[in-house]
Amino acid sequence: MKAVVCGAGRVGYGIARELAAEGNSVTVVDWSQTLIDRVTTDLDVRGVVGHGSHPDTLERAGIADADLLVAVTYSDETNMVACQVAHSLFDTPLKIARVRAQSYLAKSWRDLFARGALPIDVTISPELEVSRSILQRLETPGASATAPFANNRLQVLGLRVDEGSPIAGTNRDHLRELFPDLGMDVVGVRRENSVFIPEERDPLSVGDDAYVAVAGPHVPRVLDVFGHQVQRARRVVIIGAGNIGVYVARALERMAGVRVRIIEADKTKAEQAADNLQRTVVLHGDGLDRRLLREAGVEDAELAICLTNDDKVNLLSAVMAKREGAQRTLCLVNEPGLKDVRKELGIDIMIDPRGVTVSTILQHIRRGRITGLQTLADGQAEALEGVALATSPLIGKSLRDLELPEDVSVCALVRGEKVCFRRDNVTIETNDRIIVFALKGAVPKVEQMFRVSLEYF
């Protein structure tokens, strides 16, 4: 596949890295010579300096015979115009644009991105994707990572094996013997920053992060088995009233019995949040102010969510909230180098907005073969959902005896409402959804598993 990526910032860099690693021909466009120099030095991609929406720049980037345009510059308008130019002048098949301004995405303007208007095939809103990721984490409060698939019929959870954990020293075989009726399987393990696929008799050690495939209805019991059964938060303090903070607060307002308070340093944003929210108390002030944290009731909060635009403020406010009595903390962190301090600072969950956006875009790029994708283990692995189409080489094979590429494990097969695990005696049929866990280098092999012949089309 030949792809043009407009924007060499964090998201553009991440998309270019993933596509290039899979053997695609990638050209990155950005007006900054510095960013282009960095991306072409680090990655096996071609770089073009210029404005991403200008026809001559796109032509130099090779858009005329490209299969894909991904426009992820910092300007919504540049992204939208780039897609329009790619469609009108070059007939590019697939066009994806990052759109941040919520006004463009309002339901009243849903026809804006139709083919007869602005011909954008997929619009990605980072704020909405990150907000949804946060809310998904709140559904499984004891997990450090949550990846839902097949309409939540299956989830892949990241679960820490702590000292005193009931399953420390237990292997996959033993877990099945102890809980034969429990719909779960350990599909990956992260140990000392290295991720691997466990064998049947590999014991889980204290300090491991286990990635566990779980049938939706069994999630609460699996959390209990791993010693991570935590009640859903009823008292929540949010620091930061930007788009993400307001979206999360509005969603929490719809949940019965949940009390939300927001702290926002910018007076205008605080006033706008107060106008847009119904039952949320909005406080104007610094999220690092201990007095204000106490006024917000952080000492009684089950969860403090730190969502400002400053990584360091998020980290420090999470530490202070925990020190003041908050049971758990979640914060946004954009800078990859800061992820390593999570355990030392006692922060329960970190979410990388760039990683969430990149995962969402890759899911749409791979649509038709891969219909769901979540990056796990700080980018070292992925959980992917694929559909077994009529001419797929998977059809007719036993799930139990399936020959898998190295560094790939099956999470589950979903057929309608039924969830089957690797141990079950089931034969793969057309339209079955198969979820797998794969180390990063094995992702192209997973895509090959779901390939179809040209005759299918």
Side-chain angles (χ1 to χ4, degrees), residues 27 39 89 130 176 255 378 393 396 447:
T27 301
V39 75
L89 299 183
V130 171
R176 282 196 287 269
M255 299 179 184
D378 293 333
E447 289 192 292

Side-chain angles (χ1 to χ4, degrees), residues 1-7 10-29 39 42-46 63 66-72 94-96 354 357-367 369-370 373 375 382 384 440-441 443-444 447:
M1 180 174 66
K2 186 171 183 179
V4 175
V5 178
C6 291
R10 285 177 176 166
V11 172
Y13 183 98
I15 291 294
R17 180 185 60 202
E18 299 299 325
L19 292 177
E22 295 172 12
N24 299 295
S25 174
V26 182
T27 301
V28 181
V29 177
V39 75
D42 293 351
L43 309 176
D44 183 18
V45 301
R46 178 171 166 257
I63 197 66
D67 305 292
L68 166 71
L69 171 70
V70 182
V72 287
L94 179 59
K95 301 162 291 294
I96 299 175
R354 178 195 60 82
T357 304
V358 170
S359 291
T360 303
I361 292 174
L362 287 175
Q363 175 181 330
H364 289 286
I365 291 173
R366 293 167 176 161
R367 187 167 296 283
R369 294 169 294 175
I370 304 298
L373 181 150
T375 300
E382 289 185 5
L384 307 98
K440 200 64 177 177
V443 169
E447 289 192 292

Side-chain angles (χ1 to χ4, degrees), residues 50-62:
H51 200 288
S53 64
H54 290 180
D56 60 330
T57 302
L58 289 173
E59 186 176 42
R60 284 191 289 121

Side-chain angles (χ1 to χ4, degrees), residues 19 25 46 54 58 71 90 96 98 108 123 130 136 141 205 236 244 246 292 337 373 391 398 408-409 411 420 437 447:
L19 292 177
S25 174
R46 178 171 166 257
H54 290 180
L58 289 173
F90 303 104
I96 299 175
R98 178 173 63 178
S108 53
T123 56
V130 171
Q136 184 64 44
S205 303
V236 180
I244 297 174
V246 171
L292 195 60
L373 181 150
T391 58
S398 167
V408 176
S409 63
C411 298
C420 302
F437 179 92
E447 289 192 292

Side-chain angles (χ1 to χ4, degrees), residues 153 412-420 424-426 433:
R153 292 183 181 88
L413 178 151
V414 179
R415 180 181 298 161
E417 298 295 325
K418 186 178 181 181
V419 178
C420 302
D424 298 321
N425 186 19
V426 60
R433 294 181 177 273

Side-chain angles (χ1 to χ4, degrees), residues 64-86:
D65 57 352
D67 305 292
L68 166 71
L69 171 70
V70 182
V72 287
T73 74
Y74 289 105
S75 166
D76 289 349
E77 291 71 25
T78 296
N79 297 337
M80 291 187 287
V81 172
C83 289
Q84 178 71 71
V85 170

